[in-house]
Amino acid sequence: MSNQMKALSKDKPEEGLWLGHHPVPEIGPDDVLIRVNKTGICGTDIHIWNWDEWAANTVPIPMITGHEFAGEIVELGRDVTGLKIGQRCSGEGHLITHDSRQSRSGKYHLDPGTRGIGVNEQGAFAQYLRLPAFNVVPLPDEIPDEIGAILDPLGNAVHTALSFEVLGEDVLITGAGPIGIMAAAVVRHAGARNVVLTDLNPDRLALAQTVVPRLRTVDVRHEELNDVIHELGMKEGFDIGLEMSGNQKALDQMVEALVMGGKIALLGIPPGKSPVDWSRIVFKAITIKGVYGREMFETWYKMIAMLQNGLDVSKVITHRFDVDQFKQGFEAMKSGKSGKVVLDWTKGR
Ligand code: ZN
C-alpha cells in the first residue's frame, strides 16, 4: 500500500470540496484502518460544501469530510481484539469518550464529549479511514456495501422511528427527505397501521411512494391533514409524530393532528429559534423527545436485524457516482430532487 490516498477535503474557507492526495492515516493501538468502498453524501456534507455559518464556525481546515461509509478492515491496532483483517464493515461516526456519566451508564450516544468524523476529525470521503475499533459495525454478507454506506442516516431514521412503540399505531412523519422516507419504511416494517408522510416537494413524495409500501403521502400545499385523518378512518388523530423537516409549520400541523397524549420525536433541526405554541402542547398532554445520532449500539443492532428480516430501503438511493464525478453527486444532492447519493471509491485501485 502506498502511503498516499485519494480524499475529498475542505482545503479552503470557501464553497466546494477538493479531490486530492493525502497521507494514509496512521492508526493507534485501539484503532483499525478501513479501506473505504462506498460513501453516502449527507446534508451535513452539503453544509460543509457550502461553507455556511455553521460549517465555518465548526469545521477546522483542512478537513477530509464524510461520515457515511462501508468498507473493509485492512489493518488492526495492536490492542484490537474481536475483529479481523478483511472484515466488511460500516461504523458509528460519533467518536465518544468513555469517562462521562452517560458513557459509563452505557448511553454512549449521549456522551457530551462526542466528536464527529468528517466534521471534527478526519472523515470517510477517502480511500482509507482510521476508526476506533469500538466504533466498527461488522456487516453481514447479505447487506451490500451501498446499503452499508447509508446505515448512518438509516440509523437516524431507526432511532427516531423506534423512539415510541409504533405497533398498531397511526404515525405522521413530516419531511420527506431521505431520513423521513426511511423512517416511514421503518415504522411500516415495525407494524404501524396508518403511515402518513408530508412534504412540499412532489419529487420527494413520489420517491417515498416507491420506497414505502402502503404509504399515504400528503402535499400540504394542496391537502389538509384533517381531511386525511377522516379519509383514513382515524377517530381522533395520529398517535405518534416524527418531525424530520425542521420546519415550524410542520411542527404546528403535527401538534394539531395528534391525539390527546400523543408523542413526538424531533430529529429535524430548525434554522434558528422558532416560536412554539407551548400551551397547546401542555393542554394536549404531548410528550416530546429530541433525537440525536444513533444509540450505540442498539440502533445498529435493530437496524441490521430489520434489514435481514425484509426491511428494504434500497430504492432511497437514487444516484451513484465514481468519486471522480463527486461534483455531479453534490449537484444532485443540492437539486432537492435526489434521495441518497452514493460515491464509489473502488475504481482504479
Ligand atoms: Zn449523515
Side-chain angles (χ1 to χ4, degrees):
M1 172 179 19
S2 106
N3 58 357
Q4 292 284 302
M5 65 174 187
K6 250 194 235 177
L8 259 181
S9 73
K10 192 79 189 179
D11 294 340
K12 297 173 265 185
E14 59 191 65
E15 193 181 334
L17 289 176
W18 292 270
L19 188 61
H21 285 88
H22 297 254
V24 173
E26 284 179 25
I27 62 169
D30 298 315
D31 299 330
V32 300
L33 189 67
I34 295 165
R35 186 169 63 187
V36 174
N37 292 333
K38 306 259 167 119
T39 55
I41 302 177
C42 181
T44 304
D45 304 315
I46 301 298
H47 287 289
I48 296 173
W49 174 286
N50 291 339
W51 206 237
D52 61 14
E53 202 185 323
W54 169 84
N57 288 330
T58 310
V59 180
I61 293 177
M63 175 61 71
I64 297 171
T65 51
H67 55 271
E68 304 178 358
F69 71 93
E72 72 179 76
I73 296 174
V74 292
E75 195 183 334
L76 298 170
R78 88 177 114 78
D79 294 341
V80 174
T81 56
L83 293 170
K84 281 200 294 239
I85 304 277
Q87 170 70 59
R88 294 178 57 250
C89 68
S90 180
E92 173 57 57
H94 284 174
L95 312 184
I96 51 129
T97 72
H98 289 266
D99 50 10
S100 67
R101 175 179 179 185
Q102 299 292 8
S103 287
R104 286 175 67 80
S105 68
K107 297 174 201 148
Y108 299 115
H109 69 294
L110 299 177
D111 176 48
T114 298
R115 295 172 64 74
I117 65 169
V119 176
N120 317 108
E121 302 277 346
Q122 299 300 328
F125 286 168
Q127 288 177 307
Y128 295 93
L129 168 69
R130 170 184 52 214
L131 198 71
F134 176 83
N135 287 58
V136 169
V137 176
L139 288 177
D141 292 343
E142 61 266 41
I143 297 183
D145 283 343
E146 87 169 9
I147 297 298
I150 63 165
L151 291 183
D152 168 291
L154 177 57
N156 290 130
V158 168
H159 188 186
T160 312
L162 301 186
S163 288
F164 305 108
E165 173 73 73
V166 295
L167 177 63
E169 304 286 25
D170 297 325
V171 181
L172 172 65
I173 302 163
T174 46
I179 296 179
I181 294 173
M182 289 192 285
V186 171
V187 294
R188 167 55 70 226
H189 183 83
R193 181 172 61 173
N194 292 302
V195 183
V196 174
L197 176 61
T198 69
D199 206 290
L200 310 162
N201 180 331
D203 297 308
R204 291 186 149 175
L205 292 172
L207 173 62
Q209 287 290 355
T210 71
V211 178
V212 187
R214 290 178 294 117
L215 174 69
R216 176 66 157 89
T217 52
V218 176
D219 185 333
V220 287
R221 295 170 307 172
H222 305 306
E223 274 193 289
E224 294 285 334
L225 270 178
N226 222 358
D227 296 337
V228 176
I229 288 171
H230 288 122
E231 170 203 304
L232 295 175
M234 283 181 250
K235 232 172 130 196
E236 291 150 33
F238 294 91
D239 305 293
I240 291 169
L242 310 177
E243 208 306 290
M244 305 295 205
S245 71
N247 183 294
Q248 178 59 39
K249 268 199 187 143
L251 180 59
D252 289 343
Q253 286 166 351
M254 179 174 280
V255 170
E256 283 315 306
L258 242 51
V259 295
M260 289 285 295
K263 304 178 185 92
I264 296 177
L266 292 176
L267 186 78
I269 302 166
K273 291 187 182 182
S274 49
V276 175
D277 188 352
W278 288 111
S279 57
R280 192 82 183 112
I281 288 167
V282 172
F283 288 128
K284 280 193 97 165
I286 286 171
T287 301
I288 298 185
K289 178 192 175 193
V291 179
Y292 176 65
R294 297 142 297 279
E295 288 185 12
M296 290 171 235
F297 285 86
E298 183 64 8
T299 301
W300 291 88
Y301 182 93
K302 292 257 195 192
M303 165 163 69
I304 287 171
M306 285 189 284
L307 289 168
Q308 290 177 309
N309 189 34
L311 173 66
D312 182 2
V313 294
S314 55
K315 291 203 182 83
V316 88
I317 300 172
T318 54
H319 294 74
R320 298 162 177 86
F321 296 99
D322 285 327
V323 67
D324 295 330
Q325 292 147 2
F326 69 95
K327 285 183 183 152
Q328 285 160 263
F330 278 82
E331 281 313 312
M333 281 288 287
K334 289 200 276 183
S335 74
K337 295 186 172 187
S338 73
K340 287 302 293 184
V341 177
V342 170
L343 300 177
D344 188 323
W345 291 81
T346 60
K347 277 262 172 74
R349 68 176 186 207

